[in-house]
Amino acid sequence: MIAKKQDRIIAELNTLFPDAHCVLVHSNPLEMLVAVMLSAQTTDAAVNKVTPALFAAYPTAQDYADASLEDLEGYLKRLGLYRSKARSLKKMGQALVEHFDGEVPHTMKQLTTLPGVGRKTANVVLGECFGVPSVPVDTHVERISKRLGFAKRDDTVLDVERKLKRTLPRDSWMKLHHQFIFFGRYVCKAQNPKCKECHLVDLCKEPHKNL
DNA sequence: ATCCCGAGGG
DNA sequence: CCCTCTGGAT
């Protein structure tokens, strides 16, 4: 990626989404961890609807560990994948209590040992809660990165993460992560991208649509 | 019908 | 690598 192109992309994202930020409502690392886990295949708005009651009922890792699956499922009923998420939450609570004294760990290696927590979720928690420069690669970040030429078509998500980290300014990683997501959600959508109003079409590696 | 800030298992 | 889990919004 030519530096000039990258600067143009960053400038455009700053114009479109000057204050892109984390939309998941949370007030501590455990809540963030849970909210990100719940967001898989689900909109943030849907997650924010169930978390107030969930967080009130289960304020600590021990509470998740002790929870009954039926109760947990009740809180998550309106989310996609709610049964597997309920199972993961309980197991995650147990693992936190057993291995980390009930606290959310601060490293990628430790976080990804937790049931239901993969690299993407861990990166969000590290970046959002612990100030560790991170580039979480979700479906949006992966798609945008490939379309704009930050990565190749058949790169894995880990490849994409490495390439983004190699080229993007470290102090903007989390902001760009959020801006990629907003850009992917509202402009460079998976199915019907708004190529017509996109100022970056000339950089795109994919055939343009809706022109 | 299609998509949503994925992870785990086969 | 591919499949499954899953309801709600649009």
Side-chain angles (χ1 to χ4, degrees):
Chain A
M1 161 100 39
I2 311 292
K4 189 101 177 177
K5 286 187 187 176
Q6 177 172 312
D7 292 344
R8 228 187 95 198
I9 292 169
I10 293 176
E12 174 66 6
L13 289 174
N14 280 330
T15 302
L16 290 175
F17 311 108
D19 39 36
H21 62 284
C22 178
V23 182
L24 294 168
V25 177
H26 65 284
S27 53
N28 59 52
L30 179 61
E31 291 188 357
M32 188 62 203
L33 179 60
V34 171
V36 180
M37 246 192 53
L38 296 182
S39 71
Q41 292 300 107
T42 307
T43 60
D44 293 342
V47 173
N48 287 336
K49 262 184 208 172
V50 308
T51 47
L54 183 72
F55 293 162
Y58 306 94
T60 70
Q62 184 72 56
D63 294 313
Y64 289 107
D66 296 338
S68 86
L69 274 182
E70 294 72 30
D71 289 346
L72 274 174
E73 287 179 2
Y75 287 98
L76 307 183
K77 211 74 173 176
R78 282 189 265 170
L79 302 181
L81 319 182
Y82 73 97
R83 276 186 292 227
S84 53
K85 286 172 183 173
R87 266 182 271 124
S88 290
L89 276 189
K90 183 170 171 65
K91 285 199 200 169
M92 192 192 75
Q94 292 170 333
L96 284 173
V97 169
E98 186 174 347
H99 302 295
F100 302 106
D101 201 25
E103 299 294 315
V104 178
H106 292 225
T107 69
M108 171 63 68
K109 180 169 283 205
Q110 292 172 319
L111 281 165
T112 49
T113 65
L114 298 170
V117 180
R119 189 172 182 88
K120 183 260 171 177
T121 300
N123 266 323
V124 174
V125 171
L126 288 171
E128 207 64 43
C129 300
F130 301 136
V132 180
S134 306
V135 180
V137 177
D138 57 50
T139 158
H140 290 304
V141 175
E142 180 181 8
R143 184 179 68 255
I144 305 307
S145 297
K146 292 182 177 180
R147 284 183 179 170
L148 289 183
F150 287 99
K152 305 275 186 205
R153 181 173 45 83
D154 44 43
D155 280 343
T156 65
V157 285
L158 192 54
D159 292 330
V160 175
E161 180 181 332
R162 282 195 282 251
K163 291 185 175 181
L164 289 175
K165 283 182 171 173
R166 220 177 288 153
T167 179
L168 297 174
R170 179 181 289 257
D171 59 354
S172 308
W173 282 357
M174 284 307 283
K175 184 169 186 65
L176 283 166
H177 157 72
H178 289 120
Q179 288 174 323
F180 272 46
I181 288 172
F182 276 75
F183 185 63
R185 200 185 287 166
Y186 299 117
V187 182
C188 196
K189 299 187 288 184
Q191 291 303 320
N192 276 61
K194 300 184 175 176
C195 304
K196 199 170 186 175
E197 52 189 84
C198 178
H199 293 179
L200 302 172
V201 267
D202 58 302
L203 303 179
C204 188
K205 304 296 184 190
E206 270 188 31
H208 311 148
K209 298 183 176 179
N210 307 323
L211 288 178

